[in-house]
Amino acid sequence: MANTTSGKAATKLYPVRHYVKVMLLISFSVLVLDLAISIASIFIVKQQSTRYLQDTADLYINRINHDFAYINHYMGWTLANDESLNTMNAFRINSIEFLKSNENLHKRFTELQKNYGLEYNFFYYLKNQSYFLNCAPISVTYTDYRELKKQIISYIDDKELYEKFYSKWTPVLVNGKYYVINIVPYYNRYLIGLISADHLIRPLRQINLGANGYASLVDESGISLTSPVSNSGKVLQNNDGVFNRLQPRTTISSEFTSTTFSAEMVIKFGAFEKIMIAQLLIMLLFFIVTSTICVVMLFFKRRVLGPIQSFSENLARINEDGQPADLKSSKLIELEQANDQFKDLVEQIKTFKIAMYEQELEKQQIQLDYMKQQIKPHFFLNCLTSIYSMAQIQMYQEIEDMAMSTSKYFRYLFQNGENFVPLENELEHVRMYLEIQRQRYRDAFVYHIEMAEQAGSVMIPPLVLQTFIENSIKYAISRDSEVQIKLTVGRCADEEDTELTIIQISDTGPGFPPEVLEKLHSGLPLDQTKGTHIGIMNTLKRLEYLYAKKAAVSFSNLPEGGAVITLTLPDQPDLSSGMERSL
């Protein structure tokens, strides 16, 4: 008895949810721990990196602001107090006084340039003499110098000079390159300070912002004023790619004072995001997560996936009408219970399949009978409408002929309950229908019917041709001109030597409206809410059922006007086999 009890304890069964809960609990705990540590590490690193770069940028911006302010003050003081410019403005350009004063001015600004860097350029402009020249060594090319001279003179002639440039460093575009200038006016003489945007941002580009990080100057509209070069010296590519969008980045912006632009630094994979501690943490967490997932998946495969695979193989035997196998060692209660239940249901499933097949056959036969009976009163109502119209205009003889023709037509129609009739009989009914309509519309249309000799005995569904002829009568007849309706029947064989009957119905009316023709080509149902298109949609459904989707109907318009309907019908199919395939 003790051995039996211990054996039961060793083979205790557990439901699937027990194993799933254990797996989810372990995976969720590891992932949460991994996520928390990763987020904390990245947040701390990014915060420190951003704070360091922000402080560095602020120090540089403050220095530039101080330099700009001093240069502005120096140029303004020189204009107001230095006698060199007064002398140069009073004498001719080639005079000794002018040249000496120019030399003194050049020395003054050369000393200023040594203090703030050779990248700063200084020019003066004497409006009375229309004289523009540098007053310190320049670091711009001669081509840029000539373009700068032209632009600066145009700015000076602008009435809004004080608003745009006075005490305000402003970016200007010269030959595809941006410069930052400041124009200080004093009566008819001006001093100009200038520095390249790339030179101005150069100190910030010495900071490590990552392999793809960059520093740039941007104007008030967000347009970059500096060349597209990263801090590592690489030319920046288009940033619209998916990879560049997914790269983590940190953007730091700093505003200059008395300028119309600002500095922007973008960190991409900076050094602070790749420090050793973060790398060790990421590697350790990756190892923990990978190891845990491997252990969990091995456990899951052994305890869950293995028994499920065995159960799936057992189900395959059921589908193949084989004998289900026993699952006594799956360790999963649900699988063993399901296996026993499927054994009992095998015979019930077979019986249900047979019953469902028979019900589907009966359902399709009912649908065919309903659609065929729906077409009969549809035409009958049209005939009654025609007789009523004749009675309104007292066409008594025509009413007698119309009533007799209608009576003969429906007497034959109601006597025929078959799904297929000989084609020659159906054509005779079409002629009778067209004669009935000729009594109604008089000489509004003419018709012509052609049939190949071997096509008369072909079996086709009744009322199919009448439906499309009726559509031509309804939409093509006009009081303005005589409409021609033509019906031709031919026989041919396809590539598989299957005998086909080709029936084409055409008229010279306005043709199908574009929206209706588009729906017919796309196989979409037509709008029947207003009682229209019922006959066409029912006929297409009948052909689909009766020919097991092997019949084809095409709709088109003639280039000169008129509708064309082409029916391609195989010889009468075996209806029962077709429905069996559809099941």
Side-chain angles (χ1 to χ4, degrees):
M1 181 67 67
N3 293 334
T4 303
T5 304
S6 62
K8 289 183 178 180
T11 59
K12 184 178 179 180
L13 301 178
Y14 295 95
V16 174
R17 62 176 179 271
H18 172 75
Y19 297 103
V20 173
K21 286 182 178 179
V22 172
M23 182 186 65
L24 291 178
L25 180 60
I26 296 174
S27 301
F28 181 77
S29 301
V30 174
L31 289 177
V32 169
L33 179 62
D34 181 20
L35 182 62
I37 296 176
S38 299
I39 292 176
S41 301
I42 294 174
F43 178 78
I44 293 172
V45 170
K46 282 191 174 183
Q47 191 177 35
Q48 292 178 348
S49 176
T50 303
R51 186 183 300 113
Y52 165 79
L53 292 174
Q54 186 68 62
D55 293 340
T56 303
D58 290 340
L59 288 174
Y60 176 71
I61 297 301
N62 290 336
R63 199 200 79 184
I64 295 300
N65 288 333
H66 179 269
D67 293 345
F68 280 171
Y70 182 83
I71 292 173
N72 288 344
H73 177 268
Y74 187 89
M75 289 192 297
W77 184 90
T78 301
L79 282 171
N81 300 285
D82 194 308
E83 291 297 325
S84 297
L85 283 172
N86 292 332
T87 303
M88 294 168 64
N89 194 47
F91 290 88
R92 290 178 302 172
I93 298 174
N94 295 327
S95 64
I96 297 176
E97 291 81 1
F98 183 95
L99 296 176
K100 288 184 177 180
S101 299
N102 184 34
E103 183 179 359
N104 294 333
L105 185 65
H106 194 276
K107 291 180 179 179
R108 176 184 292 275
F109 278 93
T110 300
E111 291 297 322
L112 179 66
Q113 189 183 57
K114 291 180 180 179
N115 294 331
Y116 292 97
L118 298 177
E119 59 270 17
Y120 281 89
N121 300 271
F122 299 95
F123 307 88
Y124 66 90
Y125 177 68
L126 303 177
K127 192 171 185 180
N128 290 344
Q129 290 92 335
S130 296
Y131 189 76
F132 180 90
L133 192 65
N134 59 295
C135 52
I138 59 175
S139 58
V140 298
T141 63
Y142 182 73
T143 304
D144 290 348
Y145 169 80
R146 294 190 61 180
E147 182 63 24
L148 275 169
K149 176 180 177 181
K150 185 187 302 182
Q151 290 192 24
I152 290 172
I153 292 175
S154 66
Y155 296 151
I156 291 174
D157 294 334
D158 189 354
K159 295 181 179 179
E160 298 179 0
L161 170 67
Y162 289 86
E163 180 181 350
K164 291 182 178 179
F165 297 100
Y166 182 68
S167 298
K168 183 186 296 184
W169 291 79
T170 306
V172 295
L173 183 62
V174 178
N175 294 330
K177 184 178 181 181
Y178 280 97
Y179 292 87
V180 179
I181 69 170
N182 181 28
I183 302 176
V184 180
Y186 187 77
Y187 292 103
N188 58 352
R189 48 190 183 268
Y190 306 83
L191 279 175
I192 300 99
L194 179 142
I195 184 173
S196 169
D198 286 334
H199 282 114
L200 191 61
I201 201 65
R202 181 177 295 172
L204 293 181
R205 287 182 171 175
Q206 297 176 0
I207 303 174
N208 186 4
L209 302 177
N212 297 316
Y214 60 91
S216 63
L217 296 180
V218 294
D219 62 9
E220 296 174 337
S221 302
I223 299 176
S224 178
L225 307 178
T226 53
S227 55
V229 178
S230 67
N231 282 28
S232 60
K234 298 179 181 179
V235 177
L236 293 174
Q237 302 297 326
N238 188 3
N239 291 329
D240 294 334
V242 176
F243 176 76
N244 287 327
R245 292 180 185 174
L246 296 177
Q247 284 184 326
R249 63 173 64 190
T250 302
T251 302
I252 299 173
S253 297
S254 298
E255 299 288 339
F256 291 89
T257 57
S258 300
T259 64
T260 59
F261 55 89
S262 60
E264 184 179 272
M265 292 188 295
V266 178
I267 311 170
K268 288 186 178 181
F269 298 104
F272 293 98
E273 295 176 340
K274 296 180 180 179
I275 60 176
M276 186 61 67
I277 296 177
Q279 289 180 339
L280 292 176
L281 285 175
I282 292 173
M283 292 177 61
L284 178 61
L285 291 174
F286 177 79
F287 177 79
I288 293 174
V289 171
T290 304
S291 302
T292 304
I293 291 177
C294 291
V295 172
V296 171
M297 291 304 297
L298 289 174
F299 179 82
F300 185 79
K301 180 179 180 181
R302 181 178 179 182
R303 292 291 185 178
V304 180
L305 294 182
I308 289 178
Q309 184 177 2
S310 300
F311 183 71
S312 177
E313 294 174 354
N314 201 29
L315 290 180
R317 296 191 185 97
I318 296 175
N319 292 332
E320 297 171 358
D321 296 330
Q323 185 64 27
D326 292 331
L327 295 177
K328 296 299 184 182
S329 59
S330 64
K331 300 293 189 290
L332 296 175
I333 298 175
E334 290 83 356
L335 291 181
E336 293 190 6
Q337 292 176 347
N339 184 67
D340 294 336
Q341 292 173 358
F342 271 108
K343 285 182 180 180
D344 298 334
L345 290 176
V346 170
E347 295 300 326
Q348 298 181 24
I349 291 174
K350 294 179 180 179
T351 304
F352 177 74
K353 285 183 177 180
I354 296 173
M356 185 174 64
Y357 168 73
E358 294 176 349
Q359 290 177 2
E360 187 66 23
L361 287 177
E362 183 179 358
K363 175 184 175 182
Q364 291 192 4
Q365 185 61 43
I366 292 173
Q367 288 179 338
L368 290 173
D369 293 340
Y370 170 75
M371 287 188 291
K372 187 164 62 176
Q373 294 300 325
Q374 190 178 20
I375 293 174
K376 293 176 182 178
H378 181 63
F379 175 64
F380 181 69
L381 291 176
N382 286 341
C383 291
L384 291 179
T385 302
S386 299
I387 295 174
Y388 173 77
S389 300
M390 294 177 182
Q392 285 183 319
I393 57 176
Q394 301 179 359
M395 299 172 64
Y396 301 118
Q397 183 61 43
E398 288 78 1
I399 291 174
E400 291 179 5
D401 297 340
M402 184 74 169
M404 182 58 65
S405 298
T406 303
S407 175
K408 292 179 180 179
Y409 183 88
F410 278 98
R411 183 179 295 111
Y412 176 84
L413 187 65
F414 290 132
Q415 289 176 355
N416 193 344
E418 299 295 330
N419 287 327
F420 289 88
V421 296
L423 178 57
E424 57 185 359
N425 292 350
E426 187 67 15
L427 290 179
E428 184 62 29
H429 289 309
V430 170
R431 288 191 183 93
M432 187 180 300
Y433 169 79
L434 289 171
E435 288 299 327
I436 291 173
Q437 296 298 343
R438 278 174 59 83
Q439 294 179 24
R440 175 184 177 187
Y441 292 105
R442 292 297 178 177
D443 297 327
F445 71 93
V446 294
Y447 68 89
H448 181 68
I449 298 177
E450 295 180 359
M451 180 181 67
E453 295 181 0
Q454 65 272 26
S457 60
V458 174
M459 305 296 288
I460 70 168
L463 304 180
V464 170
L465 303 184
Q466 176 201 321
T467 300
F468 296 114
I469 292 291
E470 182 180 352
N471 193 69
S472 296
I473 294 294
K474 181 177 180 181
Y475 294 103
I477 296 300
S478 172
R479 299 296 182 183
D480 298 332
S481 60
E482 185 181 64
V483 175
Q484 297 182 5
I485 299 175
K486 185 176 182 180
L487 189 153
T488 60
V489 180
R491 294 279 291 172
C492 68
D494 62 6
E495 297 177 354
E496 300 177 357
D497 293 332
T498 301
E499 293 294 329
L500 302 175
T501 302
I502 310 298
I503 304 173
Q504 187 176 82
I505 302 169
S506 63
D507 59 60
T508 58
F512 293 104
E515 62 275 8
V516 173
L517 194 61
E518 182 179 356
K519 287 187 176 181
L520 291 173
H521 287 168
S522 304
L524 300 175
L526 301 179
D527 184 13
Q528 305 177 51
T529 56
K530 298 181 180 179
T532 59
H533 310 303
I534 295 176
I536 290 180
M537 298 310 299
N538 280 348
T539 300
L540 294 178
K541 280 292 184 182
R542 288 179 62 209
L543 293 175
E544 180 180 351
Y545 282 134
L546 293 173
Y547 287 94
K549 300 183 179 181
K550 292 183 178 180
V553 183
S554 63
F555 301 86
S556 61
N557 287 331
L558 295 171
E560 62 273 12
V564 179
I565 302 171
T566 304
L567 291 83
T568 304
L569 307 177
D571 286 350
Q572 180 181 356
D574 185 354
L575 183 59
S576 61
S577 62
M579 290 186 177
E580 182 177 356
R581 285 192 300 272
S582 67
L583 292 177

